[in-house]
Amino acid sequence: MKVVFVEKPHSLEIREVPVPGPGTGEALIRVRAGGICGSDMHIYHGTNPLAKYPRIIGHEFSGEVAEVGKGVTGFVPGDRVAVDPVTSCGTCYPCSIGRPNVCERLEVFGVHRDGGFAEYIVLPEKNLHRIPSDWSFEKGALVEPFTIAANVLSRTECSGSDRLLILGAGPIGQVILQAARRLGTACAVADIVGVRLEKARSLGAELTVNTRETPLEETMAEWTGGAGVPLIIDAVGSPDLFPSLLRMASPAGRIGLLGFSKEPSSFVQLEAVKKELSIFGSRLNRNKFPEVISWFSDGLVKPELLVSHRFPFEQVREAMKFIEENPSEVCKVILEF
């Protein structure tokens, strides 16, 4: 079978490897669609500090069950599945309080273990979630990005009475926007790419701000009548932005952090203490696949609006180059297997 193999940073190739067989409690999945995430590109370029090499990349993917191993009772060959890439030990402190996404021994398919940019992959049954047979595999591959939104909105206790500022109108910013709008939350979105902001407006953003042209802090003060923003979610992760988040947040406000950098940010404790701010990190998803699958089934979000381009998976290098060279045109790129 063919796989997308990153031997080391800046070294990506399509490699032939044997088709694996499922062990006890596992299933062999024929991969049919995969979404390229920014983290996949960071692994390729050597800028993802969490990745282990060599690696078959890909953590946003779906497919169909080709074969089941002993002890698998919930799936049969032919079932369509979306894949939760998170694996956890089940016994450490985070796991014991229902937060396996930050397990002490966390491993993610496509980052720490070989992932789904392959024609076949063996996975534990517990990582599989059945999707309706009339769904496209592309739709199944989009479940994982929406679980990122489900997780951060849960962590920050987003509600329909909130005003939410989303920093970044790329794929993750757009899924957060869709997920928040299903609650009726008033949303503002900030970015530097005009086309992405136009897309945000079409998805229900009440206000969009091109920060290359308009001062964000002043605009947020006007939007909130000087009261500050109750909820801010940062999907960018630029260290320079953090002091501004503290200033823009309202008293008793919440800040959710999704983007990340190894570089330090300035932190003015006075801002956090005098306003009694809550700051939440959010990583991956905490068993959110069933919830997001229900969103899709009930029509509460429109995942298909996220997809901008499709490539055969053998053209993954070309797809990544296209993403880098055309930021104003690209949202989510799907690899077809």
Side-chain angles (χ1 to χ4, degrees):
M1 68 174 187
K2 295 178 180 178
V3 304
V4 178
F5 190 78
V6 179
E7 183 174 7
K8 59 185 179 180
H10 312 295
S11 174
L12 183 150
E13 63 179 306
I14 302 297
R15 181 174 289 193
E16 288 276 355
V17 302
V19 176
T24 300
E26 297 178 330
L28 176 67
I29 305 302
R30 180 187 177 194
V31 178
R32 299 297 297 273
I36 296 179
C37 177
S39 63
D40 298 315
M41 299 177 67
H42 292 315
I43 294 171
Y44 172 37
H45 291 306
T47 54
N48 185 328
L50 306 174
K52 296 180 180 179
Y53 299 89
R55 185 61 55 228
I56 298 171
I57 60 174
H59 64 273
E60 302 175 6
F61 61 99
S62 72
E64 58 191 332
V65 176
E67 181 183 348
V68 297
K70 291 182 180 180
V72 174
T73 59
F75 298 89
V76 297
D79 283 346
R80 296 190 176 206
V81 294
V83 177
D84 186 342
V86 177
T87 67
S88 56
C89 72
T91 58
C92 68
Y93 171 68
C95 287
S96 73
I97 61 170
R99 293 172 65 180
N101 55 315
V102 286
C103 169
E104 292 176 6
R105 291 177 283 280
L106 174 75
E107 290 190 320
V108 179
F109 289 102
V111 181
H112 311 95
R113 296 187 186 185
D114 285 340
F117 287 179
E119 292 182 300
Y120 291 90
I121 183 174
V122 166
L123 295 163
E125 180 181 14
K126 66 181 180 179
N127 288 79
L128 306 178
H129 295 269
R130 185 180 288 103
I131 59 176
S133 59
D134 61 349
W135 281 20
S136 68
F137 291 107
E138 180 178 285
K139 188 173 183 178
L142 293 170
V143 174
E144 196 279 341
F146 276 85
T147 66
I148 304 301
N151 200 75
V152 71
L153 293 180
S154 172
R155 289 275 290 145
T156 57
E157 300 181 342
C158 180
S159 72
S161 62
D162 272 317
R163 282 178 178 258
L164 164 62
L165 167 62
I166 302 167
L167 294 178
I172 293 301
Q174 290 185 27
V175 297
I176 294 168
L177 174 59
Q178 285 203 48
R181 287 298 301 141
R182 88 186 205 288
L183 299 171
T185 308
C187 297
V189 180
D191 202 292
I192 59 174
V193 180
V195 173
R196 289 181 172 181
L197 293 172
E198 289 177 15
K199 184 66 173 291
R201 286 192 290 274
S202 74
L203 293 174
E206 180 178 301
L207 175 68
T208 58
V209 184
N210 189 322
T211 54
R212 280 183 172 166
E213 302 170 354
T214 306
L216 182 59
E217 290 189 40
E218 292 178 15
T219 305
M220 287 301 99
E222 293 173 4
W223 188 50
T224 63
V229 185
L231 176 57
I232 301 171
I233 295 179
D234 178 10
V236 177
S238 173
D240 295 340
L241 288 174
F242 192 66
S244 179
L245 307 188
L246 297 175
R247 291 191 296 268
M248 288 188 292
S250 71
R254 295 101 70 208
I255 298 173
L257 303 178
L258 279 173
F260 59 86
S261 169
K262 292 190 296 183
E263 299 303 315
S265 298
S266 297
F267 183 83
V268 180
Q269 289 174 283
L270 175 62
E271 291 286 344
V273 173
K274 74 179 182 181
K275 296 180 181 178
E276 201 173 63
L277 300 178
S278 297
I279 300 171
F280 300 89
S282 183
R283 185 179 184 189
L284 302 164
N285 85 94
R286 187 175 69 251
N287 301 318
K288 295 297 185 181
F289 269 69
E291 180 180 347
V292 170
I293 289 170
S294 72
W295 292 357
F296 284 19
S297 294
D298 295 341
L300 299 178
V301 293
K302 297 180 179 179
E304 64 278 2
L305 297 180
L306 201 64
V307 179
S308 59
H309 298 83
R310 300 166 182 84
F311 286 79
F313 84 94
E314 295 95 338
Q315 295 180 15
V316 60
R317 187 183 287 103
E318 292 86 346
M320 289 185 174
K321 183 179 179 181
F322 184 82
I323 293 170
E324 291 171 340
E325 294 179 351
N326 301 275
S328 65
E329 297 179 32
V330 174
C331 189
K332 176 60 66 178
V333 172
I334 296 291
L335 298 178
E336 298 175 329
F337 291 76

